[in-house]
Amino acid sequence: RVKASLALTGLWQSGNVETLIFRANANLRIKTWRNWVYRSKNSYVYQEFGKEKADEDVLSLNILDFNPDRKLYPFMLGFVSTNFRREIDLRYLLGAGLSYQLFDGKTAKLKFSISSEYERTNFSETDFNEVNYDGSETINTFRGTLWVNGRYTLFRKKMIFTHENYVQPSLELGDNFRWQADLGLEFPVWKYFNFKINYLHTFESIVIENQSREDQFLTFGFTIKN
């Protein structure tokens, strides 16, 4: 009834160049009342260069699935995040949607989801790359999201490939959209322990002026699971 995993990846370098990159992912899945399933996906990213903080991001995605053993089922979601470099003090989304499991086997899982959410984002700055948003500390909008999630066990369980991707345009503002690709390769070492390589690529169209709209992380580490 309960499944959990913790993945820790990162990079550390000292000497002439001092660099620290750390990423943690914690996932929890609980089968609750009847056939309802609560899922919580949480991540933390920290980057430091020359002892100066460059990133500190927190994300928590919480989903309640109704009858997820079916091919097609509804869900509700709540999303909370912060982002140091993008100067986002707080962002939250609330919404609902439908998931369709294209296949759900022991060695391969692929699921498509579509949802709609209300989003509120509070920024600490008011100068943006798009002048239409200048002077606004808060941006509110309704969004539509297409999610594609998959997990594949390869080479007789010697390698696991995972992907969690989404595209998230605003339903009201044509220049306001984002997407994310989160790819992972895991190599089982022990029943409860995997070596992991993780690649994260994010894009956000509305950012503080002079900031890049894209971020990429390539990290190495391990996953602990039950």
Side-chain angles (χ1 to χ4, degrees):
R1 299 181 67 87
V2 178
K3 292 183 179 181
S5 68
L6 173 65
L8 304 174
T9 59
L11 171 69
W12 175 67
Q13 178 181 348
S14 66
N16 293 316
V17 178
E18 294 192 10
T19 303
L20 173 64
I21 301 173
F22 174 75
R23 187 176 182 213
N25 283 280
N27 295 329
L28 177 66
R29 183 182 187 274
I30 303 174
K31 189 172 183 180
T32 59
W33 183 68
R34 292 187 177 179
N35 290 322
W36 296 9
V37 173
Y38 168 73
R39 292 183 291 129
S40 181
K41 298 183 177 183
N42 305 278
S43 68
Y44 174 79
V45 175
Y46 183 85
Q47 287 195 108
E48 184 179 287
F49 301 97
K51 296 185 178 180
E52 183 175 345
K53 183 167 68 172
D55 276 297
E56 188 173 21
D57 310 336
V58 176
L59 184 151
S60 180
L61 174 60
N62 299 277
I63 300 172
L64 184 61
D65 295 321
F66 303 98
N67 298 306
D69 294 333
R70 297 178 179 176
K71 277 276 189 182
L72 183 68
Y73 62 89
F75 65 90
M76 298 176 63
L77 66 88
F79 178 112
V80 179
S81 68
T82 64
N83 192 302
F84 173 79
R85 188 183 61 79
R86 295 199 184 281
E87 302 188 62
I88 296 175
D89 292 332
L90 179 65
R91 166 178 288 160
Y92 68 82
L93 293 88
L94 297 172
L98 288 171
S99 288
Y100 176 74
Q101 299 187 96
L102 188 62
F103 47 86
D104 184 15
K106 291 184 178 180
T107 60
K109 301 177 185 290
L110 180 61
K111 179 172 66 176
F112 295 90
S113 303
I114 187 168
S115 61
S116 180
E117 306 89 11
Y118 171 77
E119 175 185 296
R120 180 183 176 91
T121 303
N122 298 324
F123 292 89
S124 57
E125 295 289 338
T126 58
D127 291 325
F128 296 91
N129 61 327
E130 298 288 346
V131 296
N132 294 336
Y133 299 90
D134 284 353
S136 302
E137 291 185 353
T138 301
I139 297 178
N140 304 324
T141 187
F142 285 93
R143 292 192 182 276
T145 308
L146 174 64
W147 314 75
V148 182
N149 295 337
R151 186 179 189 276
Y152 316 93
T153 302
L154 309 170
F155 307 118
R156 297 182 179 180
K157 300 183 180 181
K158 293 182 179 179
M159 186 174 76
I160 301 169
F161 172 61
T162 60
H163 61 85
E164 297 183 358
N165 311 319
Y166 67 77
V167 179
Q168 198 170 58
S170 167
L171 300 178
E172 303 170 293
L173 308 167
D175 57 357
N176 189 333
F177 62 94
R178 70 175 67 98
W179 58 263
Q180 176 177 295
D182 193 348
L183 311 177
L185 278 180
E186 295 192 38
F187 301 89
V189 177
W190 180 49
K191 184 177 179 180
Y192 305 109
F193 185 91
N194 294 353
F195 173 72
K196 183 172 184 176
I197 303 171
N198 193 242
Y199 174 71
L200 176 66
H201 192 166
T202 66
F203 176 90
E204 188 147 355
S205 64
I206 306 301
V207 296
I208 299 301
E209 190 175 17
N210 298 322
Q211 286 189 357
S212 172
R213 298 193 293 179
E214 293 187 66
D215 284 311
Q216 299 182 68
F217 300 86
L218 179 64
T219 53
F220 304 84
F222 57 88
T223 298
I224 301 171
K225 56 186 179 177
N226 72 342

